[in-house]
Amino acid sequence: MKIAVLGGTGRSGTLVVNEALERGHDVTAIVRNPDKLKEKHYRLKIVKANIFDPDSLEPHFQGQDAVLSCLGCGSSLFNLRNITFHTDCAKSIVVALRKANVKRYIFMSSWYTKYDSTDPFIINWVVKPLFLRKLLNNMGEMEDFMEEECPDIDYTSVRPPELTNKETTGAAVLFHEGRYVPSEKPYGCCRRDAARFMIDTAESGNFKRKCIAITSG
């Protein structure tokens, strides 16, 4: 496959690039600063682009079988900063996808982007109010945008919980169509497992127009 990766210099994006290369795919890493991506491979092309400019992205989407995004932004204590990063990116990316005639788009989101009164107390009354409410809300708005305004895009929202730098056990990644994965496993997903799942999804063509929560197996 020919795969374009957005956010390829980040901790998760680097692993997505490596996973795709290890499986024999041709990868275009679309980054803001090419010097930050140290990976060298004859099937890896590193290009510079502005994620908020569809005309900057579109030439690098041409001919791709899928575009994968690990783009993200941080949050802050007490949610003092309004966040529109994810919706701004999504709108630009979708325009570029349409111009390049690419339909397959897989992006990283999070558990609990939607509110539910049955979610754990610590999520609804500690984590969201103090740390992640605006970030998770904007991720949810991004998912709503893809569902409601992009019927021509075969998207998959990959929703991990807190990402860790632990090594993968190699076990199958657990997944569930919903806000989280009902499981007795410890909370958290290693980045390599998230990368594995994203490439699995690109290869299989599964979960089109779905939001899929994942966690390490």
Side-chain angles (χ1 to χ4, degrees):
M1 292 181 69
K2 293 182 178 179
I3 296 174
V5 179
L6 296 160
T9 58
R11 288 177 291 176
S12 298
T14 300
L15 294 175
V16 170
V17 169
N18 291 339
E19 184 74 20
L21 291 171
E22 288 175 9
R23 300 196 195 187
H25 301 302
D26 295 322
V27 180
T28 299
I30 303 171
V31 301
R32 182 175 59 180
N33 182 359
D35 293 336
K36 291 181 65 177
L37 188 57
K38 304 303 181 183
E39 182 73 26
K40 304 296 180 185
H41 197 284
Y42 73 96
R43 280 187 277 101
L44 173 62
K45 180 181 180 182
I46 304 172
V47 299
K48 182 178 180 179
N50 179 354
I51 58 174
F52 301 109
D53 180 359
D55 291 334
S56 179
L57 293 172
E58 183 265 336
H60 309 304
F61 287 1
Q62 289 287 348
Q64 304 293 340
D65 296 304
V67 173
L68 278 59
S69 174
C70 297
L71 294 169
C73 67
S75 189
S76 59
L77 186 62
F78 302 122
N79 297 280
L80 297 178
R81 180 167 58 93
N82 192 38
I83 295 174
T84 61
F85 176 86
H86 292 281
T87 44
D88 291 343
C89 287
K91 291 173 183 177
S92 173
I93 290 165
V94 165
V95 171
L97 288 169
R98 288 169 172 160
K99 287 184 175 184
N101 196 30
V102 177
K103 294 185 177 296
R104 193 67 171 114
Y105 177 46
I106 301 166
F107 58 91
M108 192 174 288
S109 180
S110 176
W111 284 18
Y112 301 119
T113 57
K114 307 296 184 183
Y115 173 80
D116 191 290
S117 61
T118 64
D119 287 340
F121 176 88
I122 193 171
I123 296 296
N124 282 341
W125 297 99
V126 179
V127 174
K128 283 188 175 181
L130 294 182
F131 299 100
L132 297 179
R133 179 173 59 84
K134 290 185 178 180
L135 178 61
L136 293 175
N137 284 351
N138 191 231
M139 288 180 172
E141 290 165 351
M142 169 179 61
E143 293 170 338
D144 290 343
F145 167 74
M146 297 303 303
E147 173 63 24
E148 297 168 6
E149 300 188 38
C150 307
D152 54 325
I153 304 298
D154 292 329
Y155 74 88
T156 303
S157 176
V158 177
R159 294 169 160 175
E162 179 183 2
L163 288 164
T164 74
N165 296 317
K166 295 180 180 179
E167 290 296 322
T168 178
T169 66
V173 178
L174 304 178
F175 63 89
H176 178 73
E177 185 179 347
R179 301 185 321 283
Y180 63 96
V181 179
S183 171
E184 295 180 359
K185 294 284 184 179
Y187 180 86
C189 181
C190 82
R191 295 180 189 277
R192 183 62 185 268
D193 285 345
R196 288 169 55 204
F197 187 83
M198 291 184 78
I199 301 300
D200 286 346
T201 300
E203 291 176 341
S204 68
N206 292 337
F207 311 122
K208 290 180 180 178
R209 301 192 60 78
K210 301 288 186 181
C211 296
I212 306 296
I214 66 169
T215 192
S216 292

